[in-house]
């Protein structure tokens, strides 16, 4: 691209690719509007008990094809409940990836157990199952698996190891409801699965979560903990009523997000500076909450990931850095590691994620994301020479007219 002719990037005062900013979430949905009007006319919005919580349990149990579903106040609470459900307590160990959602690590500490960190697979940046066995000790009480950024952990391998050792698996599907590996739904590979209905998630009520399992012993242990004559971590009737109609649209919207990601990855191709982490896998039907990419600064003339994110955000495209490596933000006495965490450190430094709302906007979304990346690439030198001014200005302000 000829720099002279290219439009200036928004971060240097040019016109943003999406002046209106990234698409908002939650999106407007007539079925949710209807559910809210119905809550108003019936008064169910203000009741402790009503038809909506039982109906959502029934629908989720049908969708996941599992017997027990317990709703709760967040995905974070759901992970805690799932860990309690498999009996994690003081002095136990729980294995998880060195790169994961921070609250998963904190939940283990909350139960006075010790997180044991395992590195990521270098090609997918999901938990590396070839390292699982070395992480197991006599104290291992559970393996906590999260599928992140559109990827999927090698669950047949996890099941094989867990079953051989009699260790239960907690499967966090907060980022991938509806994904499938070998025709088996995300959440059904674990002994217990975890959903989030948080404000940014694919199924949303602002807050909320669910735990589901085929195992009656796990469900009973969770019930004993949350049912205290009153519910300790409740999901409200209003939240349940709002989530219910979104489940019917999940598969359709997941397919539309998949098509967009496929087109986006083929447009970006090799040498785009962003490598999609979702390698084509005929056995996997992914679901996208965030799309994970590996950011290569050298393809943007050395531009830092944070400056790249700021530049793309100024264009109205919602890129973010990924999570922090868990070993890099917690005191080492809090956890044990099973081997080196080289890939977790790389993911900490190089993971780039694209937030999902744009993915249901089809071809237009693909054009916008690609145009914004190309613009920032063409101007990467100028952006970097203005780095100090940009950093003093904050993420979404523009400079120089
Ligand atoms: C969002 C998320 C959760 C739970 O989030 P809540 O905001 O507590 O509902 C758990 N694990 C992962 C991987 C997540 O992305």
């Amino acid at each position: 691209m000829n720099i002279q002719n290219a439009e200036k990037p928004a971060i240097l005062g040019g016109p943003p690719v999406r002046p209106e900013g990234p698409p908002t979430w939650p999106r407007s949905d007539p079925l949710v509007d209807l559910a809210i009007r119905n809550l108003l006319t019936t008064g169910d919005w203000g009741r402790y008990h009503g038809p909506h919580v039982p109906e959502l349990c029934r629908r989720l149990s049908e969708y996941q094809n599992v017997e027990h579903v317990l709703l709760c106040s967040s995905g974070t609470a759901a992970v805690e409940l799932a860990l309690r459900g498999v009996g994690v307590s003081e002095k136990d160990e729980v294995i998880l990836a060195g790169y994961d959602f921070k609250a998963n690590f904190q939940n283990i500490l909350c139960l006075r157990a010790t997180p044991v960190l395992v590195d990521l697979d270098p090609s997918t940046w999901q938990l590396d199952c070839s390292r699982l066995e070395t992480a197991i000790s006599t104290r291992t009480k559970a393996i906590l698996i999260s599928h992140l950024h559109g990827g999927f952990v090698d669950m047949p391998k996890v099941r094989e190891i867990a079953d051989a050792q009699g260790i239960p698996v907690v499967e966090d599907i907060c980022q991938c409801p509806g994904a499938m590996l070998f025709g088996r739904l995300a959440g059904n590979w674990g002994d217990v699965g975890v959903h989030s209905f948080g404000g940014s998630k694919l199924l949303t009520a602002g807050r909320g979560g669910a735990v589901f399992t085929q195992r009656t012993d796990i469900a009973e242990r969770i019930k004993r903990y949350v049912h205290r004559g009153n519910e300790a971590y409740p999901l409200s009737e209003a939240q349940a009523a709002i989530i219910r109609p979104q489940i019917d649209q999940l598969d359709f919207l997941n397919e539309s997000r998949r098509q967009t990601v496929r087109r986006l990855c083929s447009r970006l191709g090799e040498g785009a500076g962003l490598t999609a982490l979702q390698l084509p896998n005929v056995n996997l039907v992914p679901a996208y909450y965030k799309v994970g990419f590996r950011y290569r600064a050298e393809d943007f003339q050395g531009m830092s990931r944070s400056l790249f994110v700021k530049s793309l955000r100024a264009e109205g495209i919602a890129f973010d850095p990924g999570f922090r490596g868990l070993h890099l933000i917690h005191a080492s006495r809090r956890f044990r590691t099973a081997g080196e965490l080289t890939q977790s450190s790389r993911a900490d430094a190089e993971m780039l994620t694209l937030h999902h709302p744009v993915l249901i906007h089809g071809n237009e979304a693909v054009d916008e994301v690609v145009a914004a990346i190309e613009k920032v690439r063409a101007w990467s030198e100028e952006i970097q020479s203005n780095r100090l001014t940009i950093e003093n200005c904050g993420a979404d302000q523009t400079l120089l007219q």
Side-chain angles (χ1 to χ4, degrees):
M1 190 184 295
N2 180 339
I3 293 192
Q4 262 70 46
N5 298 336
E7 283 181 291
K8 260 191 182 175
I11 199 154
L12 297 178
V17 170
R18 284 185 61 91
E20 68 279 32
T24 53
W25 192 261
R27 70 192 189 119
S28 119
D29 177 347
L31 293 175
V32 170
D33 292 354
L34 193 65
I36 291 173
R37 274 203 300 278
N38 180 43
L39 284 165
L40 291 173
T41 51
T42 56
D44 285 338
W45 61 271
R47 300 209 163 91
Y48 282 112
H49 301 288
H52 304 294
V53 164
E55 170 57 17
L56 178 60
C57 282
R58 192 201 58 74
R59 183 67 181 95
L60 276 174
S61 139
E62 173 189 77
Y63 184 86
Q64 288 290 153
N65 195 22
V66 292
E67 188 160 348
H68 309 283
V69 175
L70 288 116
L71 303 178
C72 61
S73 52
S74 70
T76 300
V79 171
E80 181 200 332
L81 296 177
L83 292 170
R84 287 186 185 279
V86 298
V88 174
S89 65
E90 199 160 355
K91 299 212 167 62
D92 290 334
E93 289 184 345
V94 177
I95 298 171
L96 78 165
Y99 173 97
D100 196 354
F101 189 57
K102 187 178 180 212
N104 287 0
F105 182 98
Q106 299 283 127
N107 265 326
I108 298 167
L109 294 183
C110 250
L111 297 174
R112 299 178 160 276
T114 305
V116 177
L117 303 180
V118 174
D119 208 9
L120 305 181
D121 179 318
S123 61
T124 61
W125 274 352
Q126 306 295 317
L127 183 140
D128 184 351
C129 295
S130 71
R131 293 163 176 268
L132 258 186
E133 270 168 318
T134 63
I136 294 172
S137 79
T138 51
R139 289 164 58 194
T140 308
K141 200 53 170 273
I143 300 171
L144 172 52
I145 298 288
S146 337
H147 310 293
L148 296 178
H149 312 334
F152 212 89
V153 176
D154 180 358
M155 291 312 281
K157 187 77 191 158
V158 172
R159 269 290 29 135
E160 185 190 314
I161 295 167
D163 290 342
Q165 311 255 2
I167 300 169
V169 176
V170 173
E171 193 182 1
D172 172 347
I173 63 154
C174 294
Q175 297 207 350
C176 62
M180 251 191 239
L181 181 67
F182 293 109
R184 186 164 168 183
L185 267 177
N188 292 1
W189 291 90
D191 293 80
V192 49
V194 168
H195 269 303
S196 165
F197 308 125
S200 61
K201 300 294 156 102
L202 300 181
L203 299 171
T204 186
R207 295 282 178 177
V211 202
F212 52 96
T213 181
Q214 266 311 84
R215 281 181 49 180
T216 306
D217 61 322
I218 293 178
E220 289 305 318
R221 218 176 277 124
I222 297 172
K223 281 185 201 159
R224 272 201 302 281
Y225 185 75
V226 293
H227 296 179
R228 303 177 189 172
N230 191 19
E231 295 293 316
Y233 300 107
L235 186 91
S236 72
E237 278 290 295
Q239 287 169 299
I242 285 167
I243 296 159
R244 169 68 185 81
Q246 296 177 56
I247 297 174
D248 297 339
Q249 306 172 73
L250 179 64
D251 290 341
F252 170 78
L253 290 176
N254 273 347
E255 179 53 31
S256 141
R257 287 185 277 262
R258 274 192 292 275
Q259 283 178 15
T260 304
V261 173
R262 268 199 296 272
R263 279 198 298 266
L264 180 60
C265 290
S266 75
R267 283 279 300 279
L268 288 175
E270 276 304 306
L274 313 185
T275 312
L277 286 162
Q278 183 50 64
L279 305 173
N281 174 346
V282 288
N283 303 311
L284 177 64
V285 181
Y288 294 101
Y289 161 66
K290 305 262 182 191
V291 191
F293 297 92
R294 190 186 302 248
Y295 177 68
R296 282 197 312 268
E298 60 271 31
D299 291 347
F300 294 90
Q301 307 196 55
M303 184 188 290
S304 71
R305 181 183 56 172
S306 81
L307 194 51
F308 177 84
V309 165
K310 271 185 190 164
S311 307
L312 267 292
R313 286 236 160 219
E315 299 296 339
I317 306 294
F319 274 105
D320 293 294
F323 297 141
R324 295 302 320 275
L326 293 171
H327 59 305
L328 301 173
I329 53 169
H330 294 97
S332 57
R333 68 191 145 80
R334 298 266 181 222
F335 58 88
R336 185 167 79 74
T337 60
E340 299 286 312
L341 295 172
T342 320
Q343 294 300 324
S344 305
S345 299
R346 280 198 68 180
D348 172 276
E350 297 170 22
M351 184 76 83
L352 190 67
T353 64
L354 176 62
H355 194 35
H356 69 85
V358 73
L359 302 177
I360 53 175
H361 294 263
N363 278 329
E364 196 189 326
V366 174
D367 292 344
E368 288 171 350
V369 175
V370 172
I373 292 171
E374 288 316 319
K375 204 206 287 191
V376 167
R377 184 202 313 287
W379 288 78
S380 52
E381 216 165 290
E382 287 79 356
I383 293 174
Q384 290 187 88
S385 50
N386 285 285
R387 184 173 52 85
L388 288 178
T389 336
I390 291 167
E391 277 166 3
N392 291 334
C393 247
D396 19 60
Q397 279 163 300
T398 54
L399 312 164
L400 323 168
Q401 287 312 310

